[in-house]
């Protein structure tokens, strides 16, 4: 099982910040790779993906950096099927993997967030107003065949409305980070922590890694 420490960010994340300013604030955080192509026999394509994660008193902050051959951002409305686009996902559990939030955003910052246990029929999407509290900042680069995109997500802890997150320092939580693109020319399903399942499925909290707030 992979483990990481979520380090604090010593800055006020106001609404006036832009992508480049936020990226500089996160520059000292450790980069982690999504290295597991869990279903490589059926889906051999593997984009390059790295992420950083940090926090303030009010926000969890994620930065993804992606290199892939096709960029797709068809969905622009909250809670649409963003996993069919160029999409990054973060699943996080604060109660020992019993329940978890799935945060899924495509490259243009359209998101959906769900919550519940692993049984998908028991999970529910959060309301649009809550999801749209998440601020996203995207940078997309196309240079011939070289296609790259980065996204920073500033996630208020208030979004995690089913958990009481008063004191975070030292708290152990669980989660996994993913990159997918179900309707891309070369679909792919890669993860930070390894998943052992015969078919693609990210909703398996038993394969979440460990994270500690530093």
């Amino acid at each position: 099982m992979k483990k990481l420490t979520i380090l604090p960010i010593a800055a006020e994340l106001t609404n006036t910040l832009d992508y480049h300013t936020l990226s500089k604030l996160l520059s000292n955080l450790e980069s982690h790779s999504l290295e597991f192509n869990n279903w490589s026999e059926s889906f051999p394509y593997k984009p390059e993906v790295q992420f950083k994660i940090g926090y303030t008193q009010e926000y969890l902050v994620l930065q993804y950096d992606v290199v892939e051959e096709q960029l797709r951002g068809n969905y622009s409305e909250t809670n649409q099927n963003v996993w069919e686009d160029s999409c990054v996902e973060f699943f996080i559990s604060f109660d020992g993997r019993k329940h978890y939030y799935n945060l899924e955003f495509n490259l243009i910052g359209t998101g959906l967030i769900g919550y519940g246990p692993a049984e998908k029929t028991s999970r529910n999407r959060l309301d649009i107003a809550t999801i749209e509290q998440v601020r996203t900042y995207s940078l997309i680069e196309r240079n011939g065949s070289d296609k790259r995109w980065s996204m920073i997500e500033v996630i208020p802890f208030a979004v995690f409305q089913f958990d009481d997150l008063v004191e975070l320092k030292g708290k152990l939580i669980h989660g996994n980070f993913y990159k997918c693109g179900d309707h891309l020319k070369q679909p792919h399903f890669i993860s930070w922590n390894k998943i052992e399942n015969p078919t693609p499925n990210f909703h398996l909290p038993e394969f979440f890694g460990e994270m500690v707030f530093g």
Side-chain angles (χ1 to χ4, degrees):
M1 176 191 299
K2 285 199 168 186
K3 301 178 181 180
L4 63 78
T5 300
I6 305 174
L7 293 177
I9 302 167
E12 291 294 325
L13 303 185
T14 66
N15 290 329
T16 60
L17 295 178
D18 58 22
Y19 171 88
H20 296 287
T21 305
L22 282 167
S23 186
K24 288 180 181 178
L25 290 176
L26 304 179
S27 61
N28 292 328
L29 297 180
E30 182 180 359
S31 290
H32 307 272
S33 297
L34 302 191
E35 61 182 82
F36 289 107
N37 191 7
N38 303 282
W39 302 280
S40 57
E41 290 188 5
S42 300
F43 304 97
Y45 177 67
K46 183 176 181 288
E48 299 176 26
V49 187
Q50 296 197 334
F51 71 90
K52 297 178 180 180
I53 184 168
Y55 75 105
T56 69
Q57 288 187 335
E58 297 181 76
Y59 300 100
L60 191 65
V61 187
L62 276 171
Q63 179 173 350
Y64 294 94
D65 294 294
V66 181
V67 180
E68 60 181 327
E69 67 173 17
Q70 181 188 4
L71 304 182
R72 185 183 195 269
N74 285 12
Y75 291 106
S76 59
E77 300 295 328
T78 301
N79 272 335
Q80 289 184 321
N81 298 352
V82 294
W83 64 86
E84 297 174 359
D85 287 340
S86 299
C87 182
V88 287
E89 304 186 1
F90 175 46
F91 289 20
I92 181 170
S93 172
F94 296 96
D95 65 357
R97 304 188 183 94
K98 297 174 185 176
H99 304 82
Y100 61 91
Y101 302 83
N102 57 295
L103 295 86
E104 309 179 20
F105 286 82
N106 68 10
L107 82 171
I108 61 171
T110 306
L112 73 81
I113 302 176
Y115 176 79
E119 175 56 51
K120 289 186 179 181
T121 58
S122 300
R123 298 184 61 75
N124 294 292
R125 302 253 178 108
L126 303 190
D127 64 86
I128 291 175
T130 297
I131 296 170
E132 291 184 348
Q133 292 181 45
V134 178
R135 308 200 313 260
T136 60
Y137 304 80
S138 295
L139 178 66
I140 299 171
E141 301 179 55
R142 299 175 63 102
N143 184 6
S145 61
D146 188 13
K147 301 178 181 68
R148 302 169 179 265
W149 60 280
S150 297
M151 179 188 296
I152 298 174
E153 301 173 12
V154 180
I155 307 162
F157 283 114
V159 167
F160 305 117
Q161 57 191 252
F162 302 103
D163 291 275
D164 184 13
L165 304 178
V166 176
E167 181 55 52
L168 289 172
K169 186 174 177 61
K171 184 176 179 62
L172 172 67
I173 63 173
H174 299 86
N176 211 345
F177 302 81
Y178 312 102
K179 169 70 178 72
C180 63
D182 291 36
H183 284 191
L184 300 186
K185 293 176 181 177
Q186 295 203 71
H188 49 270
F189 309 90
I190 64 173
S191 65
W192 167 65
N193 205 53
K194 188 175 182 179
I195 302 171
E196 297 180 4
N197 195 65
T199 57
N201 185 359
F202 291 161
H203 289 266
L204 297 170
E206 61 267 35
F207 298 112
F208 287 2
E210 291 185 349
M211 294 175 278
V212 176
F213 286 93

